Amino acid sequence: MHTQSKCTLPLLRWVIVCTGLIFMTSCAVVRQDQVGVKRKLGRLTGRIISPGVTLINPFTTTVLRLPNRTVNLEVELDLPSKEGLTIRAEVSILYHIDPTQAVKIVTNSGLNYERTVILPVFRSAVADVSSRFFAKDMHTAQRAVIEIEVQEHMSRVLSERGFIIESVLMKRVQLPAGLSRAIEEKLQAEQESQRMEFILTREKLEAERRKIEAAGVRDAQRIINEGLTPLIIQYMSIEALRELSKSNNTKTIFIDSKSPFLINPER
């Protein structure tokens, strides 16, 4: 009786451990940034598993997990330009999957869809777009146009496969050394030309201002000359003499019929 009890206890412990292991392997966890798909006996069930815990038969069923967040796929490659140059570039592809098409993605593209689908489509799209632009365009504001065209090209091909391309970003573009110097020299020449245009415009405005000022002075003098009659001049002279006669420094005033003048005895 005592021996039977000693044999039963290890057996009970083994059963408990096995039961716990089976229960643990029967639970599949899908994280909040994932979407799951069940595969039973080699076939997809067609039902999408939301984030959380789900029970499965560990002997017949597995859960395939796909990232449901934005993925940054970085690629370094050589791009052809319109003039036949080769441009080294580093590009980021921001994309995410459509959760409702997770089963379709696994069925048609597999779990290694970046290498089998996204990268080939991207390389084809970026080569097609960049070959229609000059190398200097990849170093100027035209870069944004190239990025948008590549994104639209990829979206047309991949959207029906369950992939949503958010954006394509050309982070680094390495031009040939000679072309880089030529672009820098051209930009410097354009800036110098704009500076000279500004100086010329400023000088023209200043010359126009002086011309208008001179015309105003000329017109004012003409008006004054036209209004100064002999009687007015004589009247003004009399008024000036009247004011001078009030001064303590004035001693004698001589007046003839034409031009009055003053004599200061101190001199």
Side-chain angles (χ1 to χ4, degrees), residues 213-259:
E213 182 181 4
V217 172
R218 181 197 61 200
D219 294 340
Q221 292 291 341
R222 185 173 63 246
I223 293 172
I224 292 173
N225 292 333
E226 290 175 355
L228 289 177
T229 62
L231 291 176
I232 292 177
I233 294 174
Q234 185 177 6
Y235 172 77
M236 293 175 67
S237 298
I238 294 171
E239 289 295 323
L241 288 171
R242 181 180 298 172
E243 294 295 326
L244 289 172
S245 64
K246 297 177 183 179
S247 173
N248 296 328
N249 296 327
T250 305
K251 303 303 181 181
T252 307
I253 302 176
F254 291 92
I255 302 175
D256 60 11
S257 61
K258 296 181 179 180
S259 57

Side-chain angles (χ1 to χ4, degrees), residues 15-218:
V15 171
I16 293 173
V17 171
C18 291
T19 303
L21 290 174
I22 293 173
F23 179 77
M24 291 176 62
T25 55
S26 300
C27 295
V29 179
V30 179
R31 298 198 305 265
Q32 72 275 4
D33 59 345
Q34 295 178 331
V35 62
V37 178
K38 283 186 177 181
R39 182 165 61 188
K40 184 176 182 180
L41 297 176
R43 294 184 178 182
L44 301 179
T45 62
R47 187 171 68 88
I48 298 173
I49 303 174
S50 301
V53 179
T54 184
L55 296 177
I56 60 171
N57 184 347
F59 301 105
T60 61
T61 307
T62 57
V63 175
L64 306 178
R65 300 171 180 83
L66 285 77
N68 191 26
R69 64 186 183 280
T70 298
V71 179
N72 179 15
L73 178 59
E74 295 187 351
V75 186
E76 287 191 9
L77 73 168
D78 293 327
L79 301 179
S81 65
K82 188 173 182 179
E83 64 266 52
L85 297 176
T86 299
I87 312 301
R88 189 68 179 174
E90 181 179 345
V91 185
S92 286
I93 308 168
L94 301 181
Y95 76 95
H96 65 273
I97 68 169
D98 183 355
T100 62
Q101 300 192 50
V103 177
K104 182 179 180 180
I105 291 173
V106 177
T107 302
N108 297 333
S109 305
L111 295 177
N112 196 16
Y113 47 78
E114 280 190 353
R115 185 177 63 84
T116 57
V117 177
I118 295 179
L119 280 177
V121 173
F122 164 72
R123 292 181 184 277
S124 173
V126 75
D128 178 66
V129 174
S130 65
S131 63
R132 292 186 276 109
F133 289 85
F134 292 103
K136 64 181 181 64
D137 295 334
M138 304 180 194
H139 224 270
T140 61
Q142 290 295 319
R143 177 188 298 190
V145 178
I146 298 174
E147 293 172 346
I148 292 174
E149 290 196 16
V150 174
Q151 177 189 353
E152 292 176 349
H153 192 294
M154 295 181 66
S155 296
R156 286 194 298 268
V157 178
L158 296 176
S159 59
E160 60 184 17
R161 290 178 170 267
F163 302 101
I164 300 173
I165 306 300
E166 299 177 11
S167 60
V168 176
L169 306 174
M170 300 179 68
K171 300 193 301 182
R172 184 175 61 86
V173 177
Q174 184 177 352
L175 299 177
L179 181 60
S180 297
R181 286 195 302 270
I183 292 175
E184 291 176 0
E185 292 173 357
K186 180 181 178 182
L187 292 176
Q188 290 177 357
E190 291 176 351
Q191 291 176 357
E192 183 66 20
S193 175
Q194 292 175 359
R195 189 178 70 85
M196 292 302 298
E197 288 180 3
F198 169 76
I199 293 175
L200 290 174
T201 302
R202 184 183 63 185
E203 294 297 329
K204 287 180 181 178
L205 292 176
E206 179 64 17
E208 189 68 22
R209 184 192 67 80
R210 291 177 180 176
K211 182 178 178 181
I212 294 173
E213 182 181 4
V217 172
R218 181 197 61 200

